[in-house]
Amino acid sequence: MTGCPIPAEKAALFFYRRAYRLFGGRTPIPADCGRLCSSKCCQGGEEDGMILFPFEELALARADFLTITKQRMGTRRVAFAVCPGHCDRALRPLSCRLYPFAPILEKGRVRIVPDPRAAYFCPLLQNEAGPYLDKAFPSAAARAVESLRTLPGFDAFLMDYGHMLKEYAAFTGEIL
């Protein structure tokens, strides 16, 4: 965030706190969905994690339960948050707040879509779950992600992220 009159850490914290607030406390269902699947999305090893969005690791400095690593997403190195299986929900990364959905940039707008990486193990993406999903969640999530588009490189990141999701969907036969 060069040229920014305040330090990058404070600017990132401001932008991400605002984005997190724009969710309005919404989650995909009005309950702890981890109870449905024994929190499968919060389990994994040192190589597993949730992709962090640009500058988000600066906003998560207080999230001492996370281990931040760098991994590849296509040609880009990105930060990943690796969780021990439990967290301070107020300090969850954006990817965790969105899951099992993900943002893509399409025709200049953020769209929230089912994450094809979750299709085979997240009960919220099964047809039977449809009636239980919070219908206002996708628009709240899109507003939150949209608010971050002023960050340098955010749109380019979203394009790369969407490309990665589309490649995964093509490989697995899912539709975005």
Side-chain angles (χ1 to χ4, degrees):
M1 287 189 264
T2 59
C4 191
I6 58 177
E9 293 83 8
K10 288 191 181 209
L13 187 58
F14 168 79
F15 281 108
Y16 279 96
R17 278 188 180 162
R18 180 180 64 181
Y20 299 156
R21 275 194 312 272
L22 286 170
F23 275 91
R26 292 198 168 333
T27 57
I29 63 171
D32 179 358
C33 60
R35 291 182 167 202
L36 299 173
C37 65
S38 300
S39 300
K40 285 184 184 175
C41 60
C42 296
Q43 298 172 18
E46 294 175 7
E47 299 297 314
D48 299 316
M50 299 300 274
I51 293 173
L52 297 182
F53 289 80
F55 307 106
E56 190 174 16
E57 68 271 16
L58 299 174
L60 295 171
R62 294 182 321 142
D64 57 3
F65 59 90
L66 294 173
T67 300
I68 307 296
T69 66
K70 293 283 187 178
Q71 296 183 27
R72 294 205 87 47
M73 181 180 77
T75 60
R76 177 189 292 266
R77 284 188 61 73
V78 296
F80 270 72
V82 179
C83 175
H86 51 42
C87 69
D88 177 341
R89 289 184 62 80
L91 297 175
R92 286 177 299 151
L94 187 59
S95 288
C96 295
R97 293 166 194 262
L98 291 165
Y99 198 81
F101 300 94
I104 59 172
L105 190 58
E106 228 174 45
K107 298 179 184 172
R109 304 278 318 186
V110 171
R111 192 164 69 99
I112 304 300
V113 299
D115 189 325
R117 299 167 297 173
Y120 297 105
F121 65 87
C122 182
L124 298 185
L125 295 184
Q126 304 305 312
N127 289 335
E128 299 81 19
Y132 302 100
L133 296 176
D134 180 347
K135 304 296 183 238
F137 177 78
S139 60
R143 277 192 308 277
V145 175
E146 192 76 39
S147 76
L148 296 166
R149 292 185 62 201
T150 57
L151 291 171
F154 199 85
D155 279 2
F157 174 89
L158 277 182
M159 294 300 291
D160 289 348
Y161 190 71
H163 181 71
M164 180 265 304
L165 291 175
K166 287 175 183 173
E167 282 183 343
Y168 191 90
F171 179 73
T172 61
E174 296 298 313
I175 298 173
L176 279 187

